[in-house]
């Protein structure tokens, strides 16, 4: 099963807890990118640009989706941009979209080191990206959960019930 959604929705925190509840391995696409390239997300953005990062991201997603053991995958916010990634997600089991208003996300992402896109004007960027991506998250999602007023523990339990733990 896969968690998608904007930066700051808690995909990694929820995903780790959910993986414990479902007794499945947890995979985080940003961590996979960092492990396979030996560079941080920020370094890749700075040295090679966003397009190069997106290529690494697509590779990490394909590897994660192709695993034979069912896992809980926290897919980085931008994976839905690439139509090939969206096609992969369609065959990747249950996809849950975690969502919240940009104002809520802006509060949550303060201090995030792996989010170079939010270096300047985080709220403005989150508003724009949310607007641009909403239709894409909707396209891949089987379920939508608004995380604005619920903590990660509650979200993880809600999803565990959805996927039938
Ligand atoms: C991005 C989300 C980040 C990271 C990179 C770009 C995006 O991951 O991959 O900063 O374009 O939404 P998280 O969604 O895990 O924060």
């Amino acid at each position: 099963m896969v968690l998608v959604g904007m930066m700051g929705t808690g995909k990694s925190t929820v995903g780790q807890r959910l993986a414990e509840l479902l007794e499945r391995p947890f995979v985080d696409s940003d961590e996979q990118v960092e492990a396979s390239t030996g560079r941080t997300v920020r370094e890749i953005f700075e040295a090679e640009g966003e397009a190069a990062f997106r290529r690494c991201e697509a590779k990490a997603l394909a590897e994660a989706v192709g695993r034979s053991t069912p896992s809980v995958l926290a897919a980085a916010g931008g994976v839905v941009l690439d139509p090939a990634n969206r096609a992969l997600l369609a065959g990747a089991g249950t996809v849950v979209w975690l969502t919240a208003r940009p104002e809520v996300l802006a509060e949550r992402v303060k201090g995030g080191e792996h989010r170079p896109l939010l270096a300047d004007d985080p709220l403005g960027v989150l508003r724009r990206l949310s607007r641009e991506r909403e239709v894409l998250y909707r396209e891949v999602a089987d379920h939508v959960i608004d995380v604005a007023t619920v903590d990660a523990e509650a979200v993880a339990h809600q999803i565990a019930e959805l996927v039938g733990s």
Side-chain angles (χ1 to χ4, degrees):
M1 71 97 22
V2 186
L3 300 176
V4 297
M6 287 286 295
M7 296 174 266
T9 48
K11 299 180 295 291
S12 300
T13 313
V14 169
Q16 276 169 36
R17 184 68 185 113
L18 180 61
E20 284 172 14
L21 293 173
L22 297 177
E23 298 180 341
R24 293 185 195 180
F26 172 68
V27 183
D28 180 302
S29 70
D30 282 337
E31 280 176 14
Q32 293 301 110
V33 167
E34 295 191 343
S36 67
T37 61
R39 297 173 128 179
T40 65
V41 169
R42 181 177 295 277
E43 282 166 356
I44 301 169
F45 263 81
E46 282 169 4
E48 298 171 48
E50 181 171 346
F53 172 75
R54 297 298 173 201
R55 285 193 292 276
C56 299
E57 182 176 66
K59 207 162 148 255
L61 181 74
E63 277 166 15
V65 168
R67 286 179 171 219
S68 51
T69 325
S71 62
V72 173
L73 169 65
V79 295
V80 291
L81 294 169
D82 181 341
N85 290 349
R86 298 202 297 280
L88 268 181
L89 290 173
T94 308
V95 178
V96 179
W97 171 22
L98 305 185
T99 182
R101 284 182 301 114
E103 290 73 13
V104 173
L105 301 179
E107 275 303 308
R108 293 188 181 198
V109 295
K110 283 184 178 155
E113 265 303 302
H114 70 290
R115 295 172 178 137
L117 293 175
L118 302 182
D120 305 313
D121 185 22
L123 179 57
V125 173
L126 286 165
R127 280 188 174 134
R128 178 173 59 77
L129 295 181
S130 294
R131 219 174 26 242
E132 288 170 3
R133 294 178 182 176
E134 192 180 331
V135 65
L136 306 177
Y137 291 129
R138 196 177 300 287
E139 179 188 320
V140 298
D142 299 301
H143 303 280
V144 187
I145 298 183
D146 190 323
V147 297
T149 56
V150 258
D151 66 15
E153 181 70 19
V155 175
H157 278 272
Q158 212 175 318
I159 301 172
E161 273 174 37
L162 281 176
V163 299
S165 67

